[in-house]
């Protein structure tokens, strides 16, 4: 069973549709209605509401078999750190980190009892390297490093792995906000001379899913830089 947060976003929705062709998938979205497709169903959950997260896990508990959790939900506000509103700092960390922790806390007993689980935290090049105007977003994603590494050490003995999938630039998502010149610059900097596709993400997810020995790592999926 795949569980995807942020499943109504650009990349999240593509991944939901791709995985649902052959796998049982639950896609979580906040306000957008995510249409069921193939073997995938959409569920509305406000990840900023901890009680809603816990209620969702309790409701679908019987469905969670061999869980692969893909944390794609993200909040990002552009702005220089000196001027960044405190409220938006809190919102960014609440969704990008705290909601991730609350969901995993709620699901860990299920994975421990089954002695199997895959936790995949999605980050990005910006999260790892920083960028002008993305300091708070980058900080929230950098915090995943210690968190994921600790999960891998605490629960690896139960057959549960925790890894970070650090994404480069893909055909959907953030790239849609860039102009043609910037997109061409990005493509030029990658050794593969192209943007990533959802198939590349599926392949990476399947690798993590099938490996019992890949744990506590950052898998960079960026086409070579």
């Amino acid at each position: 069973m795949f569980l995807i947060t942020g499943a109504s976003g650009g990349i999240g929705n593509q991944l939901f549709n791709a995985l649902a062709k052959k796998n049982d998938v639950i896609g979580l979205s906040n306000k957008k209605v995510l249409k069921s497709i193939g073997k995938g169903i959409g569920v509305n959950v406000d990840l900023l509401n901890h009680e809603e997260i816990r209620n969702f896990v309790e409701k679908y508990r019987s469905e969670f078999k061999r869980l692969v959790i893909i944390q794609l939900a993200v909040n990002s506000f552009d702005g220089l750190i000196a001027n960044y509103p405190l409220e938006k700092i809190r919102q960014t960390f609440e969704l990008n980190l705290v909601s991730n922790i609350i969901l995993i806390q709620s699901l860990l007993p299920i994975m421990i009892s089954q002695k199997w689980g895959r936790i995949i935290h999605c980050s990005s090049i910006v999260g790892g390297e920083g960028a002008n105007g993305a300091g708070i977003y980058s900080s929230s994603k950098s915090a995943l490093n210690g968190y994921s590494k600790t999960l891998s050490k605490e629960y690896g003995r139960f057959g549960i792995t925790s890894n970070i999938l650090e994404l480069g630039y893909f055909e959907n998502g953030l790239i849609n906000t860039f102009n043609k010149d910037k997109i061409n610059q990005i493509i030029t900097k990658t050794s593969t001379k192209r943007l990533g596709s959802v198939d590349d993400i599926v392949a990476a997810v399947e690798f993590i899913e099938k490996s019992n020995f890949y744990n506590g790592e950052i898998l960079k999926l960026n086409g070579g830089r």
Side-chain angles (χ1 to χ4, degrees), residues 1-2 15-26 37-41 202 206 209:
M1 162 68 74
F2 289 89
L15 185 60
F16 172 77
N17 292 339
L19 290 174
K21 293 177 181 177
K22 298 180 180 179
N23 307 276
D24 292 324
V25 183
I26 294 178
I37 183 173
K39 300 179 72 176
I41 62 171
V202 170
E206 288 178 344
E209 177 194 10

Side-chain angles (χ1 to χ4, degrees), residues 22-81:
K22 298 180 180 179
N23 307 276
D24 292 324
V25 183
I26 294 178
L28 300 187
S29 61
N30 183 8
K31 296 179 181 179
K32 292 182 181 178
V33 176
L34 186 62
K35 293 183 179 179
S36 298
I37 183 173
K39 300 179 72 176
I41 62 171
V43 179
N44 285 103
V45 176
D46 180 2
L47 294 177
L48 297 178
N49 186 319
H50 300 171
E51 195 60 30
E52 275 199 36
I53 295 173
R54 297 186 182 101
N55 289 341
F56 158 74
V57 171
E58 190 59 34
K59 180 177 180 179
Y60 288 90
R61 178 176 294 273
S62 63
E63 304 291 328
F64 297 142
K65 302 292 193 301
R66 291 182 66 86
L67 266 172
V68 180
I69 305 159
I70 305 172
Q71 297 270 22
L72 265 168
V74 66
N75 207 358
S76 178
F77 299 97
D78 290 336
L80 297 177
I81 290 177

Side-chain angles (χ1 to χ4, degrees), residues 75-177:
N75 207 358
S76 178
F77 299 97
D78 290 336
L80 297 177
I81 290 177
N83 305 320
Y84 218 91
L86 179 58
E87 179 185 355
K88 293 191 182 298
I89 295 174
R90 287 172 172 159
Q91 287 176 0
T92 299
F93 271 86
E94 182 68 30
L95 183 60
N96 297 1
L97 182 64
V98 178
S99 71
N100 181 316
I101 295 172
I102 298 299
L103 180 61
I104 296 305
Q105 282 182 331
S106 301
L107 292 170
L108 271 171
I110 298 172
M111 292 186 285
I112 291 172
S113 69
Q114 295 175 2
K115 298 188 181 305
W116 199 94
R118 300 288 181 264
I119 304 169
I120 303 173
H121 317 270
C122 291
S123 187
S124 69
I125 287 177
V126 173
E129 299 178 357
N132 290 334
I136 304 305
Y137 166 83
S138 179
S139 299
S140 69
K141 287 300 185 180
S142 295
L144 291 175
N145 296 350
Y147 166 50
S148 179
K149 200 76 172 181
T150 300
L151 282 173
S152 73
K153 293 179 183 296
E154 290 182 349
Y155 301 100
R157 67 186 186 275
F158 297 106
I160 301 167
T161 65
S162 177
N163 294 285
I164 294 173
L165 185 57
E166 186 180 288
L167 303 177
Y169 292 98
F170 284 74
E171 295 168 350
N172 210 334
L174 178 63
I175 202 75
N176 294 330
T177 65

